[in-house]
Amino acid sequence: MEDRRHRYPVQLTWAGSQPGGDRPFKRHDRSYWLNAPGRPPIAGSSDPVFRGDAAKWNPENLLVASLAACHQLWYLGLCAEAGITVVAYDDAAEGVMTEEGAGGAGQFTEVILRPQVTLAPGSDVEAATALHHVAHEKCFIARSVNFPVRHMPSISIAPSE
């Protein structure tokens, strides 16, 4: 099978540049903009615990969001292929990052996805549950990270009309 390569260009522009020179490390602005062709910009900053702006997306949020979105997209596609009708999907995903020592270097130790899936009446709950494992195996982002991505799905059936 032939390998296919896909490229994803992103432009990051620091929004904190101030005339008159640099500020000391602990006081510089951590804001930035993420841009990609044909998409709306994303305002970013560091996490507030690292002197960032709580109103903006940070790299930690974006990583967890990417894992949740990748899983959801694979899961919905697999359900559609299996003839399982999903009527609602919500995920309260959470990542855990641990800092090591006083230097501030850290790494993610796990991400937990908590998809709450509502299926159409008559759907096969067991098959729908099993597809979470398949979605995890197919998600390229989960396959690319070096920490566990766990799943705690909750599946219910929508009331009959």
Side-chain angles (χ1 to χ4, degrees):
M1 178 192 269
E2 179 182 326
D3 283 341
R4 295 183 296 174
R5 293 181 186 247
H6 307 279
R7 298 189 183 276
Y8 301 92
V10 172
Q11 178 70 42
L12 182 143
T13 303
W14 179 36
S17 179
Q18 300 291 323
D22 295 332
R23 296 182 194 169
F25 174 73
K26 292 185 179 185
R27 292 190 6 227
H28 76 275
D29 189 328
R30 285 151 174 79
S31 297
Y32 56 86
W33 285 99
L34 295 173
N35 291 284
R39 292 164 181 85
I42 296 173
S45 183
S46 61
D47 187 311
V49 76
F50 304 116
R51 298 174 198 86
D53 183 341
K56 297 177 181 173
W57 283 84
N58 62 56
E60 296 85 354
N61 294 139
L62 292 166
L63 178 60
V64 175
S66 294
L67 283 160
C70 186
H71 183 86
Q72 178 256 344
L73 291 167
W74 267 108
Y75 182 77
L76 293 179
L78 291 165
C79 283
E81 190 174 272
I84 298 169
T85 303
V86 176
V87 297
Y89 186 107
D90 290 291
D91 190 347
E94 179 180 35
V96 177
M97 186 182 78
T98 303
E99 286 185 76
E100 297 174 0
Q107 67 183 48
F108 271 79
T109 55
E110 73 175 338
V111 167
I112 302 169
L113 305 180
R114 295 181 183 90
Q116 296 181 342
V117 180
T118 304
L119 305 176
S123 296
D124 185 340
V125 172
E126 190 173 315
T129 301
L131 287 176
H132 280 287
H133 176 73
V134 179
H136 173 71
E137 294 298 317
K138 300 232 179 228
C139 172
F140 65 92
I141 298 173
R143 294 167 47 98
S144 300
V145 298
N146 67 351
F147 52 84
V149 179
R150 297 190 302 128
H151 306 90
M152 299 172 64
S154 169
I155 298 181
S156 62
I157 300 291
S160 298
E161 292 181 6

